[in-house]
Amino acid sequence: MKTSVFFSRFAVIVVTITMSLVLSSFTTSTNVTDNEDAEFVEMIVKDMNTKLPIDIGGGMAITAVYTANSNLVIECTCPDSAVELISLGFSMVSKEEVMYGVYGDESSKLLGKLCAEANYGMRWVYLTRSRTNQTELFFTASELKSFLLSNPAN
């Protein structure tokens, strides 16, 4: 049981660190109207791409940030063992538990809400350096809206 808690916490911590670095690296004001949300997501992507790669520790780095099919996609390269640990951690907890961990701090919540308001999902792709193995975490725009916008506790 302790092992499953470790792996699930490890996976959530990696995603949380990634989220915090993405948002803290962005320097533009967050005062935008609802009509500008999608454009603001695109501005975040452009700004982030000027700062890549971003070292997130443990031999991991954010290597790509882009939008695809109405999703904000964050790609990280990792050691093989980290990808395996992240995948194992995600498989041991419910998606809702992962969301509570990922969106537990204000900067992560802000980025998640911005994506939800822009009708974007969020997808994290963790790749081995050789790109032979990967694991993903994906929240649809509907899941983000339900969790971050409809839930008063968030």
Side-chain angles (χ1 to χ4, degrees):
M1 187 61 159
K2 288 182 180 181
T3 303
S4 66
V5 170
F6 168 78
F7 288 128
S8 62
R9 286 186 180 159
F10 175 79
V12 169
I13 286 169
V14 169
V15 174
T16 303
I17 290 169
T18 305
M19 286 282 291
S20 295
L21 286 169
V22 167
L23 198 56
S24 67
S25 295
F26 190 69
T27 56
T28 301
S29 168
T30 58
N31 298 325
V32 295
T33 65
D34 289 345
N35 295 339
E36 297 173 321
D37 290 327
E39 290 175 16
F40 193 64
V41 171
E42 294 296 334
M43 287 173 46
I44 290 172
V45 168
K46 285 180 185 173
D47 186 70
M48 287 301 303
N49 280 305
T50 66
K51 297 173 171 85
L52 297 177
I54 299 170
D55 183 2
I56 59 174
M60 298 182 281
I62 300 170
T63 53
V65 178
Y66 55 93
T67 57
N69 302 317
S70 296
N71 293 298
L72 174 63
V73 182
I74 302 165
E75 286 188 7
C76 301
T77 56
C78 311
D80 290 359
S81 59
V83 171
E84 292 167 13
L85 287 173
I86 293 166
S87 180
L88 184 59
F90 291 154
S91 70
M92 294 182 164
V93 293
S94 71
K95 201 168 195 180
E96 185 176 18
E97 288 175 290
V98 173
M99 288 184 98
Y100 274 108
V102 170
Y103 298 108
D105 69 83
E106 289 306 310
S107 62
S108 298
K109 247 185 246 185
L110 179 63
L111 185 58
K113 286 180 179 181
L114 177 65
C115 286
E117 290 167 352
N119 209 31
Y120 275 60
M122 293 191 73
R123 189 172 131 216
W124 293 264
V125 180
Y126 295 91
L127 301 153
T128 56
R129 288 189 185 97
S130 62
R131 297 192 175 268
T132 56
N133 192 12
Q134 74 177 47
T135 192
E136 294 187 17
L137 175 63
F138 176 69
F139 300 127
T140 65
S142 296
E143 288 171 325
L144 291 173
K145 286 177 184 176
S146 175
F147 185 77
L148 295 168
L149 302 178
S150 318
N151 189 344
N154 294 317

